[in-house]
Amino acid sequence: DKEKSTKLETELCGLSVKTEKILQREEKFADSLGAFGLECMKFARVEEEASGISGRYSEPGTRLATAAQFFRKVGNASVRASRIARAATVQLAKAMDPLHAHLNLMPSVRRATQLRADTLLSLQTLLSDQERLTNRISKLAPDITKHVKIEQLKRELEVTNRLAENAKREYDCIRARQANEFARTEKERVEEFEQMLLGLARVQVAQAERTLSVWRSLAEELGASPEEWSQTISVEDSSPEKEVVDGTINRSTH
């Protein structure tokens, strides 16, 4: 159990570090989208000013005004996508709460396993004292001159026996309780981590769908045909990881 909990804590720490990196990347992505959107809006204002200088109804002025309108739309879409990314980052962090909760639980697990080890050591020490006292009494028994010493050792052995019995009961109680607690904790961790991963997937899906809606609307406003989205593009998988079927590489197009 001690080795298992140590390995588990190491893995949880690794997951926690990777989770923090994901959240940091999501935050940077959201910040970059927001900054890009604001710069697009600033550029749109510059284009509008240039349009006014060139003559709003002249050919150059019209082109500049159209460009300003396009950049403003791109800026608005980028800011909206940035807000979606920020909201998704918050939801993602919340979805990963079970990971950090179980990681925070590991110091208690370490203390529990150490308590059991300390209790076992105390029991083993008392059992060793029992054996030592019993052997001494056996060696002194033939010598009648050692009667007083033998009685003293017997009283000491009696006390040691009681202490050993109490230590045995305490150790058995700790071992049984911790076995139940470890089993319960492991079951809860599996269930909560399944929900955690499901929550992660849900957040990613929701973010992708909302972001897709923003950019698709922008693309159509900028002149893309709605029919483009119904077209399917079949591309051969060029990744080094190929699906293996019956020992052969499946290179079919997905």
Side-chain angles (χ1 to χ4, degrees):
D1 288 335
K2 186 176 182 179
E3 293 175 357
K4 183 178 180 180
S5 62
T6 300
K7 183 178 180 180
L8 176 62
E9 184 173 9
T10 301
E11 295 298 333
L12 289 175
C13 286
L15 278 174
S16 179
V17 170
K18 295 299 187 295
T19 300
E20 291 300 323
K21 288 184 177 181
I22 290 175
L23 294 176
Q24 289 173 4
R25 289 178 181 178
E26 289 291 331
E27 289 176 354
K28 289 181 179 179
F29 178 63
D31 291 342
S32 297
L33 280 175
F36 175 70
L38 292 177
E39 289 301 321
C40 284
M41 292 179 183
K42 291 179 182 178
F43 191 76
R45 287 196 294 269
V46 172
E47 294 286 73
E48 285 180 342
E49 292 174 359
S51 173
I53 294 173
S54 300
R56 186 170 299 277
Y57 298 104
S58 66
E59 183 179 350
T62 301
R63 288 200 303 269
L64 290 171
T66 301
Q69 183 181 12
F70 280 9
F71 270 100
R72 180 169 286 105
K73 290 180 178 180
V74 172
N76 287 330
S78 187
V79 169
R80 288 178 61 193
S82 172
R83 292 172 180 169
I84 293 172
R86 287 194 177 93
T89 302
V90 173
Q91 294 174 2
L92 181 61
K94 185 177 180 180
M96 302 304 288
D97 280 347
L99 169 62
H100 302 295
H102 281 273
L103 182 58
N104 293 334
L105 184 65
M106 297 313 297
S108 297
V109 174
R110 284 201 307 271
R111 289 192 293 270
T113 55
Q114 187 60 48
L115 173 62
R116 189 172 68 182
D118 293 342
T119 306
L120 178 59
L121 178 60
S122 299
L123 173 60
Q124 291 172 336
T125 301
L126 290 169
L127 293 176
S128 178
D129 290 343
Q130 276 184 327
E131 183 178 2
R132 176 180 56 80
L133 291 170
T134 302
N135 290 336
R136 287 194 63 188
I137 291 172
S138 298
K139 290 180 180 179
L140 295 176
D143 190 348
I144 59 175
T145 62
K146 303 294 184 179
H147 176 72
V148 175
K149 183 62 175 178
I150 292 174
E151 290 299 321
Q152 180 182 352
L153 292 173
K154 285 182 178 180
R155 288 193 296 271
E156 186 177 347
L157 178 59
E158 184 179 352
V159 173
T160 303
N161 288 339
R162 288 198 300 270
L163 293 175
E165 289 176 1
N166 293 335
K168 179 75 164 54
R169 283 194 295 269
E170 181 181 5
Y171 174 70
D172 289 342
C173 180
I174 291 175
R175 184 173 61 176
R177 184 177 68 249
Q178 289 189 2
N180 292 333
E181 290 177 350
F182 286 163
R184 176 182 56 79
T185 301
E186 185 168 342
K187 180 181 178 182
E188 290 177 353
R189 186 180 69 251
V190 171
E191 293 174 351
E192 290 178 7
F193 277 23
E194 287 178 355
Q195 292 300 313
M196 177 184 71
L197 297 178
L198 178 58
L200 168 65
R202 284 172 172 162
V203 170
Q204 296 292 347
V205 169
Q207 179 185 3
E209 289 180 345
R210 293 180 63 188
T211 304
L212 173 63
S213 176
V214 169
W215 292 117
R216 177 172 291 181
S217 297
L218 172 65
E220 292 178 358
E221 287 183 23
L222 297 182
S225 171
E227 286 74 20
E228 290 184 40
W229 320 127
S230 62
Q231 296 177 0
T232 57
I233 302 176
S234 179
V235 181
E236 184 177 0
D237 183 9
S238 60
S239 65
E241 297 179 359
K242 300 295 183 179
E243 185 179 358
V244 179
V245 180
D246 296 332
T248 61
I249 297 179
N250 181 2
R251 299 183 184 274
S252 61
T253 301
H254 299 280

